[in-house]
């Protein structure tokens, strides 16, 4: 979903999410750093691993929240961040998750409130590398910088245009 700070923060606000962890996945470099990943040379995407209580929130509800927290109409970017490291993707762990993710994509294609093509990928999960500690819970640890970044990047404004989300 682009910047992992924003995705992590969005998921941590959901009832039933136990923890969201920023990291990197989907690439070819072992143990990538932020510096290498943000430069675009690792093949990894900034990603968030979500741990949740299935008795309080379902995987399908997490998928719905994901779709409405991203701009699925752009390839290899999200908001002001550009490059394949900011691509939107759903990294599935098993066949059940793949079926649910593919069903959510089909439903979005059927009901989407926009005319554009959907570029979000559904990929098999590969090794997830946790991002450096200073990236974890960035919105909580650095609220002023985080909010300046999020607003300056136009994330909420664009989400409002696409989904009608409240800013």
């Amino acid at each position: 979903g682009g910047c992992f700070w924003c995705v992590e923060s969005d998921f941590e606000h959901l009832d039933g999410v136990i923890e969201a962890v920023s990291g990197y996945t989907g690439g070819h470099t072992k143990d990538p750093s932020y510096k290498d990943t943000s430069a675009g040379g690792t093949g990894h995407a900034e990603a968030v691993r979500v741990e949740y209580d299935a008795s309080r929130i379902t995987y399908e509800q997490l998928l719905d929240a994901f779709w409405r927290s991203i701009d699925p109409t752009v390839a290899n970017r999200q908001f002001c961040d550009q490059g394949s490291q900011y691509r939107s993707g759903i990294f599935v762990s098993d066949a059940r998750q793949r079926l649910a993710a593919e069903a959510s994509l089909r439903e979005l294609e059927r009901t989407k409130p926009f005319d554009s093509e959907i570029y979000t990928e559904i990929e098999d999960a590969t090794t997830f590398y946790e991002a450096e500690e200073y990236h974890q819970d960035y919105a909580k640890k650095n609220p002023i910088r985080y909010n300046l970044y999020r607003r300056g990047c136009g994330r909420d404004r664009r989400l409002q245009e696409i989904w009608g989300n409240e800013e």
Side-chain angles (χ1 to χ4, degrees):
C3 168
F4 50 32
W5 298 340
C6 297
V7 176
E8 177 187 293
S9 177
D10 288 350
F11 273 98
E12 286 185 338
H13 286 96
L14 298 175
D15 184 39
V17 169
I18 298 164
E19 181 179 37
V21 177
S22 290
Y24 318 104
T25 196
H28 51 78
T29 301
K30 186 177 181 198
D31 202 22
S33 69
Y34 176 74
K35 180 179 178 184
D36 293 337
T37 301
S38 64
T42 67
H44 290 288
E46 286 195 10
V48 174
R49 182 181 63 216
V50 178
E51 181 181 346
Y52 65 100
D53 178 346
S55 70
R56 294 174 51 207
I57 189 168
T58 65
Y59 184 70
E60 290 75 11
Q61 289 171 312
L62 292 172
L63 289 167
D64 288 343
F66 170 76
W67 287 117
R68 281 156 183 75
S69 71
I70 66 160
D71 179 350
T73 69
V74 293
N76 292 322
R77 69 173 298 154
Q78 282 292 292
F79 314 101
C80 66
D81 295 315
Q82 298 182 34
S84 65
Q85 66 273 34
Y86 299 108
R87 67 189 181 272
S88 65
I90 301 168
F91 297 90
V92 297
S93 298
D94 57 33
R96 188 190 89 59
Q97 285 187 357
R98 176 169 288 284
L99 288 173
E102 289 172 348
S104 75
L105 174 59
R106 283 191 305 276
E107 181 64 11
L108 181 58
E109 284 282 4
R110 188 181 72 74
T111 62
K112 64 185 180 181
F114 45 81
D115 294 328
S116 303
E117 184 176 344
I118 295 173
Y119 290 96
T120 301
E121 303 167 358
I122 298 172
E123 301 179 34
D124 288 332
T126 58
T127 302
F128 179 85
Y129 298 96
E130 287 190 19
E132 296 81 352
E133 182 56 36
Y134 70 93
H135 287 298
Q136 305 304 328
D137 296 314
Y138 191 85
K140 293 175 188 172
K141 293 175 187 174
N142 302 285
I144 294 171
R145 284 186 179 170
Y146 169 75
N147 287 318
L148 286 171
Y149 166 79
R150 187 170 179 127
R151 184 173 306 275
C153 206
R155 189 176 192 105
D156 295 322
R157 182 177 56 251
R158 179 66 179 142
L159 292 175
Q160 173 66 28
E161 291 171 7
I162 297 170
W163 302 106
N165 293 0
E166 293 182 18
E167 225 177 300

